[in-house]
Amino acid sequence: MAWQWFHRLGSPRWFYEKTNPWLPWLAVISIALIVTGAVWGLAFAPADYKQGNSYRIIYIHVPAAFLALAGYYIMAISGAVGLIWKMKLPFMVMKSAAPIGALLTFISLVTGSIWGKPTWGTWWEWDARITSMLILFFLYLGMIALQQAYQQRDTADKASAVLALVGMVNIPIIYKSVDWWNTLHQPATIKFTGKSTIDPSMLYPLLIMVIGFYCFYALVLLLYTRVEILRRESRTQWVNDLVANNK
Amino acid sequence: MKFQFESFADFIAMNNHGPYVWAAYGITFVALIYLLVSPVVQKKAFFKQQQKLQKLAQSNPDGQGVE
């Protein structure tokens, strides 16, 4: 019976019903964390000794970039699971992850650009980190386009899953870009191995924002996936009952 | 932990970095709201459309002319 949960996970209906009670919790937690982190980061964290107040953009730039990357993992892994075990649900998750990831990558590019102006004196630089993030953005856009390029649902899913997996090559490049090349972009602020290069008074609001963004991502991914489930299962009895009972 | 600015006007100005900081936060805020609202709107539209189809099916039980 150990694998029962895995087979259930392939059932869109089970997923739809199971995730329903999670939504209000995720909404409350993510909004509370993001509001707390933003107020703390904007008003109560000390200014940076070098960059002044412009560094406060870090509190949205870094969480958005984290989720842009984590979202890509989720998309590619869902695609792989869908391809290997021929399950329906992972493909729905994969499709839903694409527009969310695209928008988060867009946020990290735009906030980075705005941050760059007062800090580096330029809006844009063809630096390794920025260029690899731009490629990530195009990969996400490619996923959205590919989903709509095929008449056959099955073909679209398989083709997008392959694109997502091939695009994985870009992820380590993004991570390592600040070490491999001599870039304008500053090195990582938070390190999982070794000491972070940020004072605790600045780190705590950043961690709160990162957790808040993770919760928000989970919430939005669930919302998008649930709509996708309804669309693809629109001919099934359980969705018809749901529609009939929804006044 | 203390408020880092002399006054509210100072807070808005952010030592001349105000426009950058507030633009970045503003754009992010709008984008996040869009992410949250868009699936909710899509779900509502789906239910509306399906309810219409169900009504059509009820008034035309043989399903003729109804996809």
Side-chain angles (χ1 to χ4, degrees):
Chain A
M1 292 299 127
W3 283 87
Q4 207 177 9
W5 64 272
F6 191 72
H7 291 288
R8 279 212 194 120
L9 215 58
S11 156
R13 180 187 180 175
W14 179 83
F15 183 87
Y16 190 92
E17 285 164 359
K18 195 77 190 166
T19 53
N20 196 34
W22 302 356
L23 301 175
W25 291 102
L26 279 171
V28 169
I29 293 169
S30 56
I31 290 169
L33 286 174
I34 289 175
V35 169
T36 310
V39 171
W40 193 343
L42 279 169
F44 295 99
D48 188 69
Y49 78 103
K50 240 196 222 158
Q51 300 183 4
N53 285 309
S54 70
Y55 102 95
R56 295 181 193 281
I57 294 173
I58 201 174
Y59 296 112
I60 45 178
H61 177 74
V62 167
F66 269 22
L67 265 301
L69 289 165
Y72 199 90
Y73 281 123
I74 290 171
M75 189 173 75
I77 291 168
S78 311
V81 172
L83 281 180
I84 295 167
W85 285 285
K86 304 199 185 347
M87 298 200 294
K88 287 192 279 182
L89 184 66
F91 283 135
M92 303 184 198
V93 175
M94 177 189 72
K95 188 190 176 189
S96 308
I100 310 171
L103 203 63
L104 285 165
T105 313
F106 178 76
I107 292 176
S108 67
L109 282 169
V110 169
T111 55
S113 169
I114 295 173
W115 191 2
K117 187 63 186 163
T119 315
W120 305 335
T122 176
W123 295 106
W124 188 264
E125 188 65 43
W126 290 104
D127 139 311
R129 171 59 71 81
I130 304 171
T131 310
S132 51
M133 276 306 272
L134 187 66
I135 292 171
L136 183 74
F137 183 58
F138 290 144
L139 278 168
Y140 275 126
L141 293 187
M143 288 291 292
I144 298 170
L146 203 56
Q147 278 286 332
Q148 286 158 1
Y150 293 95
Q151 289 285 318
Q152 215 86 48
R153 180 77 272 147
D154 200 40
T155 321
D157 283 337
K158 281 181 186 157
S160 330
V162 171
L163 173 67
L165 286 170
V166 173
M168 278 297 275
V169 177
N170 190 36
I171 302 293
I173 297 178
I174 296 176
Y175 279 122
K176 285 287 164 195
S177 57
V178 283
D179 303 328
W180 288 347
W181 288 281
N182 191 7
T183 60
L184 206 52
H185 194 285
Q186 63 201 51
T189 307
I190 302 174
K191 294 188 184 71
F192 296 104
T193 52
K195 237 174 131 77
S196 293
T197 57
I198 183 170
D199 191 75
S201 60
M202 295 172 170
L203 178 65
Y204 294 140
L206 184 56
L207 289 180
I208 290 175
M209 274 306 239
V210 170
I211 299 168
F213 265 64
Y214 265 97
C215 294
F216 183 82
Y217 181 89
L219 170 69
V220 172
L221 184 64
L222 285 180
L223 288 175
Y224 272 92
T225 305
R226 287 161 60 86
V227 175
E228 191 60 25
I229 288 173
L230 290 176
R231 286 206 188 110
R232 294 197 191 184
E233 303 273 293
S234 63
R235 282 157 197 272
T236 61
Q237 191 56 47
W238 75 271
V239 173
N240 279 327
D241 290 345
L242 213 62
V243 170
N245 295 327
N246 187 282
K247 289 288 168 251
Chain B
M1 204 160 66
K2 73 183 228 303
F3 191 56
Q4 296 291 320
F5 301 91
E6 298 280 320
S7 64
F8 189 72
D10 253 24
F11 175 56
I12 299 299
M14 294 228 161
N15 260 324
N16 297 327
H17 285 155
Y20 302 109
V21 174
W22 295 114
Y25 274 79
I27 291 166
T28 305
F29 182 73
V30 170
L32 295 187
I33 292 293
Y34 170 80
L35 274 181
L36 203 55
V37 170
S38 142
V40 175
V41 169
Q42 286 178 32
K43 190 180 165 188
K44 279 214 171 106
F46 172 85
F47 274 110
K48 223 175 172 177
Q49 183 205 5
Q50 292 297 312
Q51 268 157 3
K52 241 186 205 162
L53 287 176
Q54 280 187 357
K55 260 187 202 149
L56 255 153
Q58 274 164 15
S59 61
N60 188 359
D62 304 331
Q64 280 170 347
V66 180
E67 165 53 44

